[in-house]
Amino acid sequence: MSGRGTANGRAKVRPGRVSFVGSGPGERDLLTVRAVELLRSAEVVVTEVPEHADLVRQVLGLPAPVLDADGVPVPGDGPELVDGGFGTDGQPLTHAARAKVVVRHAKQGRRVVRLMAGDPFLFASGPEEAQACVKAGIGFEIVPGVSSATSVAAYAGIPLTTKKAREVAVLSCADLKIDWQPYAGDTTLVLLSAVACIGEVAQRLMAAGRSPQTPVAMTRVGTTTEQQTVVSTLATVAVDAEAAAMTPPAITVVGDVVDLRETLSWFETKPLFGWQVLVPRTKEQAGSLSAGLRSHGAVPVEVPTISVEPPRNPLQMDKAVRGLVEGRYEWIAFTSVNAVKAVREKFEEYGLDARAFSGLKIAAVGEKTAASLAEWGLRADLVPTGEQSARGLLEDWPEYDEVLDPINRVFLPRADIATETLVAGLVELGWEVDDVTAYRTVRATPPPAPVRDAIKSGKFDAVVFTSSSTVRNLVGIAGKPHAATVIAAIGPATAKTAEEHGLRVDVLAASPSAEELVEALADFGAARRLALLESGQAVTKPSQRRTTSRRKAGSK
């Protein structure tokens, strides 16, 4: 009998493997490369804190869970998520109970990721749970995480060591059974779990001989866009922390290194730090815009206002594509990434590829559209050198020449609601245009009630409009943004539409691209922040200065 079998002949389940993975201090981008790899291959993820479930979904690109009639999540794609913080009775799990959960799933032969806040082997239960795996004969690995003990201070602009400050000690204040005498000198201290007892900790440090004027910084929810830092001294930190309503989780740093924050603060001083920015566009196109906003400290909230659908009648598009293959056109003009996508999908439907464009001249309305063509293996022959719009394209488009141009026809695949500017301009230049509806832009369903309320009541700090249709559709499905909300438009046409809907445009991109729109809003935020500081006011977000009046175009 093989050693792989059991007495009753059934195959023995080979134990799985457990990866103890540090999730870092809270910011998704601080996950290690190895952590992401393991999450992508995991069959089970045992979480530690409520935020971990959303973190896993974000990393894996999974949708929000669907709940059944009893409010229980319906199993979907991705790994099984197991709550390692609380048991089925709603009570917090002990270290031993969590270890049993991990071991049980691994014994079923599954790949288990035990996701742990911070680092698994630093002020965490990783050692105990790993020992349980050893006892059960289950293999494991440790994936270190970025520890909040060091990273939060860095995000607060506080270096823990310098040429002058060479000693640092990390202390957990979960209980105060600490001899403070060894820390009476100038050693930099990093205190964990000190929010509730900071007054007593400060008193004991001063009693041990530390100066009452020793700088102290307390940073809550560090590395996230909700990060808040209070700078004080041992003598006053208890009062200052209470006045700022500081709550866990927070990291406290004690020592002269805190003074460097005045010049090294880099995260909380980002131009859009903590701003809730509404991004009304198609879900597929929001990625780069949202990434740019996050790089400036904003929290992008994507609200689909447009759904891109195939044309109701595909015959016109079918006929145009056949004409393209047969050499009917001299030019094809792409006015959007969506137009490229629509033509490409039609090509794939017919079993065609980019070789069918041989001998055809290609125009793109801007760099983004040209880049989309490049991904398909096509190079645009014409991209506007000036304004990236239909008007800019016309300025560079050559007149039809009977001698040089054997064919006088242009294929123009575009949206059903596109303006006639390009068609009329091409006709004036002597070209015949097959204006073909390649796709439809349909108004999306209204966002949830809380989002609609946030839009109308001014809880968003800014909204970025990337087209006239996003203006019309957002106002149509969710209402007009509040007067205090900063309005940013990608170009003059979009700005005009916003003004026609009673909105005053505060920010206009230098050129019509998502990157320029983000940079223009960041410049606005930086100028606004500087103006508040120079006037001696506290730096606030636009949503914190709401008024009751509606924003009117041209109002002062």
Side-chain angles (χ1 to χ4, degrees):
M1 178 180 290
S2 169
R4 293 177 180 273
T6 60
N8 57 14
R10 289 183 298 179
K12 184 178 180 180
V13 176
R14 183 186 297 275
R17 186 174 179 83
V18 178
S19 299
F20 293 95
V21 175
S23 68
E27 167 55 46
R28 176 183 65 180
D29 292 343
L30 294 182
L31 276 173
T32 64
V33 173
R34 180 60 176 161
V36 173
E37 289 176 350
L38 289 169
L39 286 174
R40 286 174 176 165
S41 63
E43 295 174 291
V44 179
V45 177
V46 181
T47 62
E48 184 166 81
V49 293
E51 294 79 12
H52 275 167
D54 286 338
L55 177 67
V56 173
R57 293 190 188 98
Q58 290 173 3
V59 170
L60 301 182
L62 300 175
V66 177
L67 305 181
D68 62 18
D70 297 324
V72 178
V74 177
D77 295 332
E80 178 185 353
L81 298 178
V82 178
D83 187 353
F86 294 86
T88 55
D89 59 358
Q91 296 300 311
L93 293 177
T94 62
H95 291 345
R98 276 198 291 267
K100 289 180 180 179
V101 171
V102 172
V103 169
R104 183 174 73 249
H105 285 285
K107 280 185 174 181
Q108 296 170 3
R110 308 172 81 184
R111 294 186 299 275
V112 180
V113 165
R114 171 68 170 101
L115 199 57
M116 312 185 82
D119 183 280
F121 272 22
L122 186 63
F123 296 103
S125 59
E128 292 83 358
E129 294 180 34
Q131 286 174 330
C133 288
V134 172
K135 186 176 180 180
I138 295 170
F140 68 91
E141 70 172 297
I142 306 297
V143 180
V146 176
S147 173
S148 60
T150 56
S151 60
V152 171
Y155 266 64
I158 302 172
L160 296 182
T161 60
T162 65
K163 288 184 177 180
K164 294 182 178 179
R166 295 181 176 274
E167 292 185 3
V168 60
V170 181
L171 305 173
S172 174
C173 300
D175 62 53
L176 291 178
K177 298 175 182 178
I178 299 172
D179 178 7
W180 295 99
Q181 199 61 46
Y183 309 111
D186 57 3
T187 299
T188 299
L189 304 181
V190 179
L191 308 179
L192 312 180
S193 305
V195 175
C197 58
I198 189 61
E200 186 173 353
V201 169
Q203 288 296 329
R204 293 192 181 187
L205 280 170
M206 289 187 288
R210 201 114 186 192
S211 168
Q213 300 308 311
T214 302
V216 180
M218 182 179 287
T219 303
R220 64 179 298 275
V221 288
T223 76
T224 75
T225 49
E226 297 176 15
Q227 176 174 309
Q228 175 190 4
T229 301
V230 170
V231 176
S232 184
T233 64
L234 283 177
T236 60
V237 65
V239 174
D240 293 339
E242 183 178 2
M246 296 297 282
T247 56
I251 301 295
T252 303
V253 179
V254 179
D256 291 339
V257 292
V258 170
D259 289 338
L260 291 171
R261 170 179 160 82
E262 187 172 341
T263 54
L264 298 182
S265 179
W266 63 274
F267 186 55
E268 292 169 64
T269 56
K270 285 190 173 187
L272 303 177
F273 181 76
W275 284 33
Q276 295 275 332
V277 180
L278 186 67
V279 183
R281 20 182 0 188
T282 61
K283 201 69 174 178
E284 295 80 8
Q285 294 178 329
S288 62
L289 186 61
S290 293
L293 290 168
R294 276 192 290 268
S295 72
H296 288 293
V299 182
V301 179
E302 297 170 3
V303 176
T305 58
I306 297 174
S307 177
V308 177
E309 305 288 346
R312 287 193 175 90
N313 184 354
L315 295 180
Q316 188 185 26
M317 188 68 168
D318 292 340
K319 180 181 177 181
V321 170
R322 285 197 300 270
L324 184 152
V325 175
E326 295 167 357
R328 176 180 172 83
Y329 302 107
E330 181 76 8
W331 283 91
I332 181 170
F334 291 100
T335 58
S336 70
V337 171
N338 284 327
V340 176
K341 181 180 178 183
V343 172
R344 186 169 185 175
E345 288 176 351
K346 185 61 68 174
F347 265 50
E348 292 172 352
E349 182 182 323
Y350 280 114
L352 300 171
D353 57 31
R355 289 174 294 183
F357 286 89
S358 177
L360 186 66
K361 296 174 184 175
I362 303 172
V365 76
E367 297 296 338
K368 282 289 184 183
T369 305
S372 181
L373 286 166
E375 291 175 3
W376 194 7
L378 298 171
R379 183 181 64 83
D381 299 286
L382 176 62
V383 180
T385 54
E387 180 182 328
Q388 297 190 355
S389 65
R391 187 177 294 104
L393 196 58
L394 284 172
E395 289 178 358
D396 290 347
W397 198 289
E399 290 188 23
Y400 170 66
D401 188 305
E402 292 183 0
V403 177
L404 298 177
D405 300 310
I407 305 170
N408 71 337
R409 192 170 294 275
V410 177
F411 175 20
L412 180 58
R414 58 185 191 146
D416 57 332
I417 58 172
T419 63
E420 302 301 318
T421 302
L422 186 55
V423 174
L426 289 173
V427 170
E428 285 186 12
L429 291 170
W431 296 94
E432 292 185 20
V433 182
D434 280 357
D435 184 11
V436 179
T437 298
Y439 61 95
R440 293 181 297 127
T441 54
V442 181
R443 182 176 292 179
T445 56
V451 176
R452 297 198 302 272
D453 175 69
I455 292 171
K456 290 182 282 190
S457 63
K459 294 178 182 176
F460 283 104
D461 298 289
V463 56
V464 287
F465 287 119
T466 55
S467 67
S468 292
S469 56
T470 56
V471 178
R472 290 189 291 266
N473 288 346
L474 180 70
V475 173
I477 67 175
K480 192 181 299 184
H482 190 274
T485 304
V486 175
I487 304 297
I490 199 169
T494 303
K496 181 180 178 183
T497 303
E499 290 168 352
E500 289 171 351
H501 284 76
L503 302 174
R504 188 187 67 226
V505 177
D506 303 288
V507 178
L508 186 65
S511 61
S513 73
E515 290 79 5
E516 289 293 338
L517 181 57
V518 169
E519 292 305 316
L521 182 59
D523 288 345
F524 176 91
R528 181 181 180 277
R529 185 177 190 278
L530 182 61
L532 289 171
L533 290 172
E534 289 180 343
S535 64
Q537 300 181 62
V539 176
T540 57
K541 298 182 293 185
S543 60
Q544 295 171 309
R545 302 170 69 86
R546 296 195 294 267
T547 61
T548 57
S549 61
R550 279 282 179 193
R551 179 187 301 275
K552 296 295 183 182
S555 62
K556 301 294 184 182

